[in-house]
């Protein structure tokens, strides 16, 4: 367990950082780099203790997307020690110097907030205090999966979390904000992605394709707390036994993905064609299979626009355009499919709305960031939600390239590889 001591709160003049100088090249370790500084009174500085390695950390340089500038600093989540607290009296007062915190770093354009460095900046509303029962390594795996699954469920599917540890109704939060303040590329998703009468409620089915992923791990826990019935589609050979026995994320029905046609049949039969909510974490092909398992009886219509999502190899802009809702059916009958890393292209049935996760709400809308961060603290402290598993570690910034090579080779499965930084 990490020991908090006064010496660790001192901030040096310079730091080491991993820099990406060129696309499709390894990151380079550089010392003597400036420690990033706060730019407003709601920002804080953390000394990074552990970094969760995400697929985007290797996909972005390999496929040249989500890199707004070179040299670039990557890294999307960490656990760290607060060495400089926010000074604002108006903003969140949850965070104090010496706290160990989780930081989901969704603001990839601001290099001060990246986590492949020894010190990082974040906003107080994007900071989640880590309970003492959890290690920084474990905490470093939680941020991205939590934010992505909470927004997928809360915005795209309309799940209201108010009954769970005083959680937020994020859809109501975004709809109470001046629409002009919502980022233009996710405004339609926020305001019109789902209608009130369509929102997911206790007893509804949620089908997750790619149910072995880290994001699925968190999505299942949140959905279960909200009373949804979970069908999880995974490779049984690899994940069947582990997920059937996993106390936190065992689904109501585990379906093998090996034969997609058979999996679709099983989903439709088990739900009697009533599954209205789908969450795909694998890619546009599996999102297409999932689409067929959801309830819809309409004839195919053309998808109006190209919809590359965060993590898609074709996109150069991680937050995708807003979601079309192309239905002539009544809203109450529509199914909702959320693609975390791509959506089906071409023809989709009537009566299905496609969604991409509006991840930037977390850092661009303080009301959303604060509501999710404060709620995450409660969920972790109460043990109602557990972080994803740490399935391996590497030591220091210098070993992150090796760790990312393990991700590239598909050696990491069922959780996050973590880099211990200090
Ligand atoms: N839109 C957003 O805001 C957002 C947010 C978070 C994540 N994402 C994207 O969503 C997807 C899931 O994220 P995650 O963090 O949950 O993923 P993850 O847990 O790291 O990986 C999910 C699964 O992908 C498979 N996999 C691992 N390495 C692979 C490789 N090199 N090639 C092909 N497949 C591989 C593994 O399946 P097996 O175990 O069966 O091998 C793994 O369990 C990623 O594409 C990520 O970039 C998007």
């Amino acid at each position: 367990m990490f020991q908090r001591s006064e010496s660790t709160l001192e901030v040096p003049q310079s730091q080491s950082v991993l820099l990406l100088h060129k696309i499709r090249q390894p990151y380079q370790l550089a010392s003597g780099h400036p420690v990033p500084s706060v730019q407003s009174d709601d920002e804080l500085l953390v000394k990074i203790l552990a970094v969760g390695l995400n697929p985007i950390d290797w996909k972005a340089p390999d496929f040249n997307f989500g890199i707004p500038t070179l040299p670039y600093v990557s890294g999307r989540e960490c656990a760290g020690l607060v060495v400089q607290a926010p000074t604002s009296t108006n903003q969140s007062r949850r965070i104090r110097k010496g706290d160990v915190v989780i930081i989901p770093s969704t603001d990839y354009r601001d290099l001060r907030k990246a986590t492949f460095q020894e010190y990082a900046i974040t906003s107080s509303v994007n900071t989640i205090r880590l309970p003492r029962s959890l290690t920084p390594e474990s905490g470093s795996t939680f941020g991205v999966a939590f934010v992505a699954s909470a927004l997928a469920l809360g915005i795209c599917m309309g799940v209201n979390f108010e009954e769970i540890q005083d959680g937020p109704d994020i859809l109501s939060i975004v709809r109470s904000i001046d629409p002009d303040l919502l980022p233009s590329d996710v405004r339609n998703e926020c305001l019109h992605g789902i209608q009130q009468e369509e929102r997911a409620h206790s007893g509804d089915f949620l089908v997750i394709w790619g149910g072995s992923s880290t994001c699925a791990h968190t999505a299942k826990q949140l959905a279960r707390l909200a009373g949804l019935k979970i069908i999880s589609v995974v490779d049984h050979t690899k994940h069947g036994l582990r997920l059937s026995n996993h106390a936190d994320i065992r689904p109501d029905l585990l379906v093998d993905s090996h034969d997609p046609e058979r999996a679709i049949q099983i989903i439709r039969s088990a739900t009697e064609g009533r599954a209205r909510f789908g969450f795909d974490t694998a890619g546009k092909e599996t999102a297409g299979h999932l689409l067929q398992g959801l309830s819809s009886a309409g004839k195919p219509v053309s998808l109006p626009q190209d919809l590359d999502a965060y993590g898609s190899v074709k996109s150069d802009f991680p937050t995708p355009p807003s979601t079309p809702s192309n239905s002539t059916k009544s809203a109450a009958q529509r199914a909702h499919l959320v693609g975390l890393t791509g959506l089906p292209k071409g023809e989709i049935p009537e009566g299905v709305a496609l969604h991409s996760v509006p991840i930037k709400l977390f850092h661009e809308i303080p009301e959303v960031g604060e509501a999710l961060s404060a709620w995450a603290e409660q969920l972790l402290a109460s043990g109602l939600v557990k972080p994803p598993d740490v399935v391996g570690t590497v030591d220091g910034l210098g070993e992150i390239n090796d760790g990312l090579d393990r991700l590239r080779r598909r050696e990491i499965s069922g959780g996050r590889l973590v880099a211990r930084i200090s």
Side-chain angles (χ1 to χ4, degrees):
M1 175 64 79
F2 176 78
Q3 300 294 319
R4 297 157 169 89
S5 78
E6 276 308 310
S7 64
T8 57
L9 297 174
E10 287 165 15
V11 182
Q13 296 292 321
S14 64
Q15 63 159 348
S16 292
V17 51
L18 267 194
L19 288 175
L20 181 75
H21 289 284
K22 277 186 162 177
I23 298 303
R24 283 181 282 281
Q25 297 221 335
Y27 296 99
Q28 302 283 331
L29 185 61
S31 57
H33 209 76
V35 173
S37 39
V38 299
Q39 289 177 353
S40 63
D41 61 3
D42 70 317
E43 289 188 338
L44 55 134
L45 180 69
V46 298
K47 178 183 171 67
I48 294 179
L49 304 173
V51 176
L53 302 185
N54 275 262
I56 196 169
D57 298 328
W58 67 267
K59 287 184 190 171
D62 284 14
F63 299 108
N64 191 13
F65 75 97
I67 311 269
T69 182
L70 289 171
Y72 183 63
V73 188
S74 289
R76 297 280 60 93
E77 62 183 335
C78 72
L81 176 70
V82 178
V83 292
Q84 186 181 335
T87 53
S88 164
T89 49
N90 302 326
Q91 298 284 339
S92 161
R93 293 185 186 186
R94 289 179 293 113
I95 313 301
R96 302 263 189 274
K97 189 172 177 178
D99 286 344
V100 178
V101 296
I102 295 169
I103 300 174
S105 175
T106 54
D107 193 359
Y108 73 101
R109 290 178 183 277
D110 189 341
L111 273 48
R112 299 174 310 136
K113 297 177 177 173
T115 62
F116 287 179
Q117 52 188 338
E118 291 179 301
Y119 290 84
I121 298 291
T122 187
S123 155
S124 57
V125 298
N126 289 160
T127 307
I128 301 164
R129 282 175 303 172
L130 184 74
R132 283 179 178 267
S133 55
L134 296 173
T135 63
E137 286 82 3
S138 175
S140 75
T141 68
F142 179 71
V144 169
F146 173 75
V147 173
S149 42
L151 289 172
L153 290 163
I155 298 285
C156 307
M157 303 183 209
V159 175
N160 180 350
F161 299 119
E162 283 175 322
E163 301 290 314
I164 309 162
Q165 291 264 306
D166 291 329
D169 179 356
I170 330 173
L171 195 61
S172 296
I173 292 176
V174 294
R175 289 183 180 176
S176 67
I177 288 170
D178 176 354
D180 289 340
L181 296 178
L182 297 171
S184 58
D185 57 344
V186 298
R187 191 177 297 142
N188 192 45
E189 173 65 50
C190 293
L191 301 179
H192 309 296
I194 191 164
Q195 299 186 18
Q196 283 299 333
E197 59 273 27
E198 297 178 279
R199 297 178 66 165
H201 293 291
S202 177
D204 282 332
F205 287 103
L206 170 66
V207 186
I208 303 181
W209 204 300
S212 63
S213 71
T214 312
C215 289
H217 178 278
T218 310
K220 281 184 216 169
Q221 294 179 78
L222 297 180
R224 164 79 39 77
L225 289 169
L228 302 188
K229 288 186 280 191
I230 297 159
I231 298 178
S232 182
V233 186
V234 301
D235 178 347
H236 269 197
T237 324
K238 263 182 131 167
H239 305 289
L241 189 62
R242 180 178 70 86
L243 292 177
S244 313
N245 288 305
H246 202 300
D248 305 322
I249 53 169
R250 187 174 48 225
D252 295 285
L253 177 63
L254 195 61
V255 178
D256 188 11
S257 60
H258 179 70
D259 178 349
E261 288 306 318
R262 175 76 179 145
I264 293 161
Q265 253 178 25
I266 293 170
I267 294 163
R268 294 196 71 91
S269 160
T271 62
E272 297 172 338
R274 288 185 291 115
R276 283 201 306 119
F277 298 96
F279 184 44
D280 177 84
T281 74
K284 62 181 182 224
E285 190 182 339
T286 52
H289 300 323
L290 176 49
L291 183 64
Q292 295 176 55
L294 298 182
S295 71
S296 78
K299 63 181 189 325
V301 295
S302 286
L303 199 63
Q305 52 184 304
D306 199 35
L307 282 171
D308 282 348
Y310 187 98
S312 154
V313 296
K314 284 192 167 175
S315 171
D316 64 354
F317 185 56
T319 299
S322 55
T323 299
S325 58
N326 60 333
S327 175
T328 53
K329 299 176 83 175
S330 78
Q333 293 173 295
R334 285 196 307 173
H336 294 267
L337 170 62
V338 184
L340 199 52
T341 188
L343 283 165
K345 295 239 160 52
E347 297 195 322
I348 61 159
E350 273 185 55
V352 179
L354 301 183
H355 303 255
S356 297
V357 180
I359 198 90
K360 62 168 54 171
L361 291 176
F362 183 64
H363 61 266
E364 293 214 0
I365 303 297
E367 293 87 341
V368 171
E370 175 63 20
L372 288 180
S373 298
W375 185 45
E377 288 185 2
Q378 302 300 321
L379 293 171
L380 290 175
S382 64
L384 273 183
V385 169
K386 308 257 174 52
D389 295 333
V390 176
V391 293
T393 55
V394 294
D395 282 317
L397 291 172
E399 288 193 3
I400 284 182
N401 279 318
D402 293 343
L404 294 177
D405 283 343
R406 288 168 67 185
L407 265 71
R408 285 183 177 95
R409 292 194 299 265
R410 202 169 182 163
E411 291 171 11
I412 302 302
S413 175
R416 288 257 186 268
L417 185 66
V418 169
R420 287 190 292 235
I421 305 300
S422 54

